[in-house]
Structures are given as C-alpha cells and as structure tokens.
C-alpha cells in the first residue's frame, strides 16, 4: 500500500480518530490537573509569604512602639516640666539617661523654637519637622541618616513634652542607632535565591531598614531607580497594598517573587523578594514531568493503536 493510499484508507482514519480521542482526553486531564495544582500551590505560597511579611511588619511595629513608649515615659518626667531647671541641665540629665543602652547615640530636649544643647554643652538651634510636629502634640519617627558631626547612622524618634497646663512646651528626641530596625530583619527568612527583606518609607521612597545596611546609608529614592519590570511591585508597595507579585528581574534574568504589606501606624511598608523557584519549583518540576509523561503516552498509544487497528482491520482490505 502506498503512503497516499494509507492516509486515505479507513484504517488510517480509525487510527487517527482513536488517537485524537486519546490526545484530547489526556490533554484535558493534564490541563485540569495543572490548573488545580497551580491554584493550590499559589494559595499555599500566598499564605506563607503573607505570614512572613506579617511577622516582619510586627517586629518593626513592635520596635517602633517600644521606642515611643520609652520616650513618652521620659517626656512625663517632672524635671522636664519644671521651669526652674535650666535647659542645659535638662539636656545633661537626658544624656545620662541615654547611657543606659547602647541603642542610643543620645537623648535630647528641644523647646518649641528648636533650642537645645549638644552633649558637649554647646547651644544649638534647629528647624526640624519633628519639632514642628511636637508643637502640634504629635510624635514623629524620621528616616535613618548619617550624623554630620559624628558620622554615625542614626534614626530620630521624637515625642512632645506637655507642660502642667497640658500644652506642648517642647519635645524629647532619641537618636537611635540607624541599624536598629535592620537588625530585626536579620531574624526574618524569605526564600533563599537572591532574597532580601526591606522596609520602605512610602512617602520618601527611601529604604529605612535592610540586611544590606549600605542601602540604608545611601538613602536613595527607589521611585527613580528601579527597572520597568519592577515598577508595578513598587507601585503596590507605595499604595499600601498587601499581597504578592511575580515579576521578571533583568539583572538576574529570571522570575522573582515579591511580597509586601504596610507596617501599621507608620508610613512604612515591608517588602520581601526572592527567586520564583524558591516557592514554585514544585510546579515547574510537575509541569516538566507531566509533559514528558504526556509525550510518552502519545507515542505508546500511537504504536499500540496502530498495531491493533492493523490486525483488526485486515479483513476490510479484501
């Protein structure tokens, strides 16, 4: 039988029909299985990365609240409200208080005009947002910055000091070591491949905490220094969203997974990034295995169906 006659024969048509049914049924089974598996894995991964970012946000929030509680306790001390005690004496007393912990570079007191004294007793006057906020009765935490005098990375926390009449008379500030929040992130594990966790100020775009402290020291605005592929992730972070996004990283030339959530009561958000396969490698392996098995099934089916049909349809040739 010539090839042309074979393709036009009833034998070939029946073989093709059976193979088409087998291929369609196998493809449907594989497609449904893959869809359900991917959905299940994604749900599991979403819960896992959400728990990681929630833990990181909780640690940052807890550390921030601890600093504010400490400062509020200091701000309620009677000597700060006593007008008979000189401003210099108040600052010197707070400097001694700062010595109780290595977390503090210094603790100071400013009046509402921004007047204060350095550790060395030198009078200074500053115009800072945290002093203005204190005049409104508001507490403030600043982004980490390098002290131009001591060249030490620190972060300022400030709370208002209220006089006996209940009105603000100044503010107590704590220069907390700038790596304090970053140390909290060292306790967080988020993936293994090119992974890291950061805390970003949504208003300034600055990285305020990271396992890589150089990123904090640089103080770069992330909003103008990311690749186009990362823009949707950063937009989600800056808009206080909670969730995760898969994106392509041109630097590592691979898909990455980003998860994020805001830190309650602050202008900050936690963001964790790691390799896509750190969490989805099972799906990739399963896809490859099912594709190989599907191909094997097709080949075996073709051979078996062809053989059976050839034997069964021999009488039809006569």
């Amino acid at each position: 039988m010539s090839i042309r006659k074979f393709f036009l024969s009833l034998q070939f048509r029946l073989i093709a029909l059976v193979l088409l049914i087998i291929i369609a049924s196998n493809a449907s089974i594989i497609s449904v299985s893959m869809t359900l598996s991917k959905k299940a894995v994604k749900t599991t991964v979403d819960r896992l990365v959400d728990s990681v970012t929630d833990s990181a946000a909780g640690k940052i929030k807890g550390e921030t609240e601890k600093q504010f509680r400490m400062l509020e306790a200091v701000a309620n001390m009677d000597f700060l409200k006593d007008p008979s005690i000189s401003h210099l004496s108040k600052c010197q007393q707070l400097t001694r208080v700062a010595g109780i912990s290595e977390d503090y570079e210094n603790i100071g007191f400013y009046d509402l005009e921004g007047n204060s004294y350095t550790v060395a007793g030198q009078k200074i006057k500053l115009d800072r947002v945290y002093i203005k906020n204190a005049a409104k009765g508001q507490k403030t935490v600043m982004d980490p910055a390098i002290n131009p005098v001591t060249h030490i990375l620190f972060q300022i926390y400030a709370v208002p000091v209220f006089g006996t009449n209940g009105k603000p008379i100044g503010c107590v500030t704590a220069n907390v070591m700038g790596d304090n929040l970053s140390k909290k992130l060292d306790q967080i594990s988020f993936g293994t491949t090119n992974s890291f966790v950061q805390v970003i100020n949504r208003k300034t775009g600055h990285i305020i905490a990271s396992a890589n402290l150089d990123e904090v020291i640089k103080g770069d605005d992330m909003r103008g220094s990311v690749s186009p592929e990362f823009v949707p992730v950063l937009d989600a972070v800056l808009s206080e969203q909670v969730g995760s996004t898969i994106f392509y990283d041109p630097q590592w030339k691979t898909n990455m997974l980003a998860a994020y959530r805001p830190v309650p009561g602050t202008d900050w958000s936690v963001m964790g990034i790691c390799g896509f396969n750190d969490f989805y490698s099972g799906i990739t392996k399963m896809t490859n295995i099912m594709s190989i098995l599907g191909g094997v099934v097709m080949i075996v089916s073709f051979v078996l169906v062809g053989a059976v049909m050839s034997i069964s349809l021999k009488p039809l040739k006569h």
Side-chain angles (χ1 to χ4, degrees):
M1 181 185 293
S2 67
I3 295 178
R4 185 173 182 276
K5 287 183 177 181
F6 173 71
F7 282 119
L8 294 175
S9 67
L10 177 61
Q11 177 184 1
F12 174 75
R13 293 176 183 178
L14 290 175
I15 292 174
L17 178 61
V18 173
L19 285 176
L20 182 63
I21 294 173
I22 293 174
I23 291 172
S25 60
N26 277 309
S28 298
I29 293 172
I30 292 174
S31 177
V32 171
S33 299
M34 288 298 300
T35 300
L36 294 176
S37 298
K38 286 181 178 180
K39 185 176 180 180
V41 171
K42 187 178 186 309
T43 300
T44 302
V45 171
D46 286 345
R47 289 175 180 171
L48 179 59
V49 298
D50 183 67
S51 67
V52 174
T53 56
D54 183 56
S55 175
K59 289 181 181 297
I60 298 298
K61 180 176 183 289
E63 179 62 23
T64 302
E65 289 181 341
K66 183 188 78 173
Q67 299 297 344
F68 278 132
R69 284 196 301 269
M70 185 280 297
L71 278 183
E72 286 168 349
V74 172
N76 283 323
M77 291 182 174
D78 292 335
F79 77 92
L80 287 176
K81 304 176 183 181
D82 190 342
S84 65
I85 300 176
S86 70
H87 196 154
L88 176 59
S89 297
K90 293 177 181 179
C91 291
Q92 291 173 335
Q93 179 64 28
L94 290 177
T95 297
R96 288 192 287 271
V97 172
I100 64 175
S101 174
E102 295 181 353
D103 289 342
Y104 304 110
E105 183 199 34
N106 188 37
I107 298 177
F109 172 70
Y110 293 84
D111 63 22
L112 297 182
E113 285 71 45
N115 296 305
S116 187
Y117 290 87
T118 65
V119 175
Q122 180 182 359
K123 188 174 182 179
I124 57 174
K125 185 172 183 177
L126 301 180
D127 181 17
R128 298 288 187 270
V129 64
Y130 51 84
I131 299 174
K132 295 177 182 178
N133 287 345
K136 302 174 186 177
Q138 300 172 356
K139 56 188 179 182
T140 306
V141 57
M142 305 294 291
D143 289 354
I146 296 292
N147 187 319
V149 178
T150 62
H151 304 292
I152 296 174
L153 182 71
F154 69 94
Q155 185 172 23
I156 295 178
Y157 289 78
V159 300
V161 176
F162 296 96
T164 54
N165 60 358
K167 295 181 179 180
I169 60 172
C171 70
V172 170
T173 64
N175 292 358
V176 180
M177 292 304 176
D179 62 349
N180 200 41
L181 292 180
S182 296
K183 288 179 179 178
K184 298 299 177 183
L185 299 183
D186 288 340
Q187 307 167 16
I188 304 296
S189 176
F190 189 83
T192 57
T193 308
N194 305 321
S195 64
F196 58 86
V197 180
Q198 298 173 333
V199 179
I200 301 169
N201 187 317
R202 296 188 299 271
K203 289 187 175 181
T204 65
H206 295 165
I207 298 173
I208 65 166
S210 173
N212 182 359
L213 201 58
D214 287 340
E215 295 177 333
V216 180
I217 294 173
K218 287 179 181 177
D220 293 337
D221 187 342
M222 290 188 66
R223 293 171 294 188
S225 59
V226 299
S227 65
E229 294 84 354
F230 190 71
V231 170
V233 176
L234 187 59
D235 287 343
V237 173
L238 299 180
S239 58
E240 297 187 63
Q241 293 184 31
V242 178
S244 60
T245 301
I246 297 169
F247 69 99
Y248 179 76
D249 189 329
Q251 178 184 358
W252 300 107
K253 294 180 172 48
T254 185
N255 286 332
M256 305 290 284
L257 173 67
Y260 36 81
R261 72 164 46 242
V263 179
T266 71
D267 295 323
W268 308 336
S269 282
V270 170
M271 178 181 68
I273 291 180
C274 68
F276 172 83
N277 285 330
D278 286 359
F279 290 99
Y280 287 97
S281 59
I283 284 290
T284 303
K285 291 178 181 178
M286 184 172 66
T287 300
N288 294 335
I289 291 173
M290 293 187 75
S291 298
I292 293 172
L293 289 176
V296 171
V297 169
M298 296 301 108
I299 294 172
V300 172
S301 299
F302 181 81
V303 173
L304 291 179
V305 170
V308 171
M309 287 296 184
S310 295
I311 296 172
S312 302
L313 298 177
K314 275 185 177 180
L316 295 178
K317 297 177 182 179
H318 304 289

